[in-house]
Amino acid sequence: MKIQFKKYWRKTSLKDKEDAIFLLSHINELKPKNILEIGVFHGVTSRNICELLYNIHGNNFKFTGIDLFEINTKNIEDEIPPKTTFSNPLKTFYYSYIAKEDPYSYESVLKLLKKFKSNINIIKGNSNKILQEIKIEVFDYVFLDGGHKYETVKNDLNNLTKVIKNYGVILCDDYNLNYAPGVKKAIDEYVLNNNFELKILRSRFAEIKMKIK
Ligand SMILES: C[S@@+](CC[C@H](N)C(=O)[O-])C[C@H]1O[C@@H](n2cnc3c(N)ncnc32)[C@H](O)[C@@H]1O
């Protein structure tokens, strides 16, 4: 199967195609059936993951996505808000006057994922809170790409420990961001405190799993 990453005329943090293909290949290798993405943004990676899981498992997969879907981060001090403006004026025009929708909205992401409506669960809210309200043990793969503040990443990871203990995998993005050093700090501490295995892949991804003795 040839792995492709499409952008659907939206924004994604996986701008480098090779990083995006790496993520999809990693998922393709592990073949998880129940994926959680924290930080959905415009839904581009979510849609690509769903297309891939459909190719692997047919309809026998689940995808959960969590995002604040709002820039007003007054409840989350010091958080780095996502850049939602397009550099391409044609895209700005298209979303403002033709599609008349905000691609960084719950409704717009649901529309992008409607092909997989029986497989998906998109949740609007703060991952630190949502992860305490949903069943974590069902997930066998997590793509952690939500809040980039030390406390946020630390809490998300602590809330996701059951995934690792059940021999699932957490792949964290942005391990190497100079402007968000809290991501690396939270990951390094979490792995050390729990004696989990950490592998840095393509310098930006941190793969966390159980140590095999
Ligand atoms: C880097 S973007 C995600 C990019 C996306 N994964 C992709 O591949 O295109 C980070 C997203 O996390 C969301 N976010 C930040 N803090 C969050 C939190 N505490 N809970 C849920 N979502 C959060 C932001 O709203 C933003 O949409």
Side-chain angles (χ1 to χ4, degrees):
M1 177 187 13
K2 184 163 171 12
I3 293 186
Q4 285 180 310
F5 187 85
K6 291 193 193 164
K7 294 205 175 150
Y8 300 96
W9 240 46
R10 286 168 175 250
K11 289 187 80 159
T12 171
S13 58
L14 294 172
K15 286 183 219 97
D16 178 334
K17 209 149 199 167
E18 286 186 19
D19 286 337
I21 297 289
F22 174 84
L23 168 69
L24 294 181
S25 304
H26 191 251
I27 294 172
N28 187 42
E29 212 171 282
L30 297 170
K31 306 207 176 343
K33 283 197 161 170
N34 204 333
I35 289 196
L36 167 67
E37 182 185 18
I38 300 179
V40 163
F41 192 40
H42 282 198
V44 173
T45 300
S46 317
R47 171 74 188 259
N48 279 281
I49 290 175
C50 287
E51 293 285 352
L52 174 67
L53 293 181
Y54 183 75
N55 276 333
I56 302 172
H57 301 298
N59 251 324
N60 193 14
F61 76 90
K62 293 278 175 224
F63 175 90
T64 301
I66 303 174
D67 204 292
L68 295 165
F69 293 118
E70 62 181 8
I71 298 185
N72 186 352
T73 51
K74 65 177 184 300
N75 296 325
I76 313 168
E77 278 171 32
D78 310 328
E79 192 50 89
I80 300 149
K83 269 203 191 126
T84 53
T85 49
F86 288 106
S87 50
N88 179 346
L90 282 179
K91 289 187 186 177
T92 309
F93 182 83
Y94 171 76
Y95 282 104
S96 304
Y97 300 105
I98 297 174
K100 294 193 173 111
E101 68 183 60
D102 176 2
Y104 173 58
S105 68
Y106 175 78
E107 294 73 20
S108 179
V109 167
L110 277 192
K111 211 164 140 187
L112 180 69
L113 299 176
K114 70 173 186 293
K115 183 174 167 191
F116 302 107
K117 64 176 184 296
S118 58
N119 308 86
I120 61 161
N121 181 18
I122 305 300
I123 306 169
K124 179 174 160 67
N126 184 340
S127 57
N128 280 183
K129 184 167 172 279
I130 305 292
L131 293 178
Q132 294 184 347
E133 297 165 356
I134 62 174
K135 274 195 176 170
I136 298 300
E137 60 273 23
V138 299
F139 302 115
D140 45 7
Y141 190 104
V142 178
F143 180 45
L144 180 57
D145 191 19
H148 286 60
K149 205 175 83 167
Y150 168 74
E151 283 295 330
T152 311
V153 180
K154 179 180 154 187
N155 291 336
D156 278 349
L157 287 171
N158 282 329
N159 286 327
L160 290 168
T161 296
K162 276 186 191 159
V163 175
I164 304 291
K165 293 213 163 151
N166 287 341
Y167 295 92
V169 167
I170 302 175
L171 193 77
C172 310
D173 195 14
D174 295 330
Y175 181 77
N176 59 346
L177 279 190
N178 289 334
Y179 63 85
V183 176
K184 179 178 186 307
K185 185 171 183 264
I187 294 169
D188 288 346
E189 281 178 11
Y190 176 72
V191 167
L192 197 69
N193 292 342
N194 290 284
N195 197 25
F196 291 150
E197 186 178 302
L198 173 67
K199 254 193 219 160
I200 308 307
L201 306 164
R202 288 189 65 77
S203 77
R204 72 181 279 173
F205 299 113
E207 182 199 64
I208 306 173
K209 57 185 181 191
M210 278 292 256
K211 267 190 185 155
I212 306 291
K213 286 165 198 154

